[in-house]
Amino acid sequence: MVRDRTLLAGFLERLRASAPLLARYRTDPALFFTERGVRFFAEFKRLFDDLYSLKTRKAVVLAPRGGGKTFGAALLATAFFLFKDFDVGIVAGSETQALTLFSYIAQWLELPETEESVDRLRRSELLGVSGNRIVAKTASARSIRGLHLGRGTRGAILLIDEEAEADEDVVRAARYTVRTADPALILRSSTYHRLVGSFARLVEDHKSQGYELYRWDSFDIAKPCPYDCKSCPVNEFRSRYCKGKAKESDGWIEADEIIGEWQDTNRETFEVEVMGMRPASAGCVIDPQAIDRAVIKEGEVRDDVCYGVCYGGCYGIDWGFAGMTAVVVLGIKGDAVHVLHTEAFHRHGIDTIVQCLKELRDRFGLREVYADSSHPFENARLRDEGFAVWGRPPAGGASAPSSETLGVPFVSFKEEGVAILSYLFEKDRIRIPERHTTLIRQLRTWRRDAQGHIVKKDDHFPDALISAMMKLKLQGIGSRVRRSITTTKPRLFASY
């Protein structure tokens, strides 16, 4: 830690050599950053000013992915460390997130970007000449409980970045690290990824917990939009999301990038990741109107999409003996996915199912199988029968001696699969002939509970569809569900 102090010494000495300039920075810390090319957009400027003036001591930020949350937290951390001599505590949802925030701070403190300095940042802390410090923690609640910022001798600010991705016990322990600081400030920020957890409770009940809410979306931080509002390429932008804001903004995200996100994701993912909105809670997993649009009458089924032999396709399988094993045959042609066949097996053994799949293989010419990995014996049997069963490669790579895990890791993939499936429905890129009554009925009754969890009831065919979505993910269809739209260039951070 002594060497960390040495790294900072030259910069701090130069800063303090000009007393009038330092005094100006203490009064107006935003000047320090604007002189270095940073521009503050309105809502962040309100957050920055409210915290620095101590008008707000507990703040929560709700913003989109790539919306400048981490970069903004680094600006605040640097300002409080340099110009108020505060201790700064950083808690992030991952080590990568913490190091990203730390690297921004190091940039403003003019620390050398070497492997040695990054390693020190990972395992220790930065010290100022007055004894104040910057500490990053991502590990465990136990390590955080031993951390005390301020200790009654100085102020401290705690920054919790991407709280929705952090362990709730760690967040709970972190909030107590500034109890002995005078004054104590807390900033908790995230994209609203989950309907449950500490961040969800905070956003929904911030007033009673004493927090001020600050929020912005991608249109608040967009570059000036080149389109006339009346000719906006996306009607929903004009009426629901942007409402002309991007004509006045001067940020860093291209309007076409936001349009691309709208085109390549489902509505809920767009609202959460791009608009920074709350995810849907209880209700239908798939929009009923989108299901209506997807169902086609028998007389409208085209002969050239009846068989998968002409184009790509696969089987999606949800295994189940006591309940139902559901098989969905999908064909992919152009930009649409077609349900070619559905089959339900009630208390049938693997021999019966294999025989049926062989007949379907002869009929449709399809071999690819995407099945739930929870039934390794059944998946291995299908592979032995000549089907191309998708599986995860061994942990050590393709050359590792351990065998792959056959099937789709359903528990971890489920929500991503739902997002891709929702994208197909919302963009009118899936077709279901009306004869597939059980599949359609189960899609219509597919629900989430009040906490946003999918209700496990009468959902075998939807689950078979989810397994098949792994093929679409591998093809890049609807795969931008978690794509970041950020840039790390500080000069593009914000605008007045």
Side-chain angles (χ1 to χ4, degrees), residues 257-287:
E257 178 71 18
I258 303 176
I259 292 171
E261 294 288 340
W262 170 262
Q263 294 170 339
D264 293 350
T265 63
N266 63 77
R267 181 183 295 271
E268 180 170 336
T269 300
F270 177 84
E271 290 186 343
V272 172
E273 302 288 352
V274 182
M275 296 303 297
M277 296 170 64
R278 179 183 189 275
S281 56
C284 299
V285 177
I286 305 295
D287 183 355

Side-chain angles (χ1 to χ4, degrees), residues 16-71:
R16 284 166 171 73
S18 176
L21 183 59
L22 179 59
R24 288 177 61 195
Y25 288 155
R26 289 190 185 278
T27 303
D28 181 14
L31 178 64
F32 176 82
F33 302 108
T34 57
E35 288 179 344
R36 289 159 175 78
V38 176
R39 306 188 305 272
F40 288 66
F41 60 92
E43 185 68 349
F44 180 77
K45 185 64 163 60
R46 184 172 78 92
L47 169 67
F48 188 97
D49 291 345
D50 286 356
L51 282 172
Y52 193 82
S53 67
L54 307 184
K55 175 183 176 182
T56 295
R57 301 198 180 195
K58 297 169 72 176
V60 54
V61 166
L62 177 58
R65 183 174 292 271
K69 300 182 298 298
T70 301
F71 189 79

Side-chain angles (χ1 to χ4, degrees), residues 18 27 44 72-73 82 84 136 189 195 205 228 260 292 346 397 403 470:
S18 176
T27 303
F44 180 77
L82 287 181
K84 279 190 180 293
S189 66
L195 272 167
D205 196 28
D228 182 80
D292 291 341
H346 301 273
S403 61
M470 179 61 77

Side-chain angles (χ1 to χ4, degrees), residues 27 77 107 139 141 145 163 166 186 201 261 267 293 303 314 343 354 386 396 398 442 451 454 493:
T27 303
Q107 175 183 341
R145 288 193 183 99
E163 179 174 334
I186 301 177
R201 292 194 299 272
E261 294 288 340
R267 181 183 295 271
R293 295 194 304 270
D303 292 339
C314 68
E343 192 85 29
V354 166
Q442 290 186 356
Q451 286 72 46
I454 295 177
F493 172 62

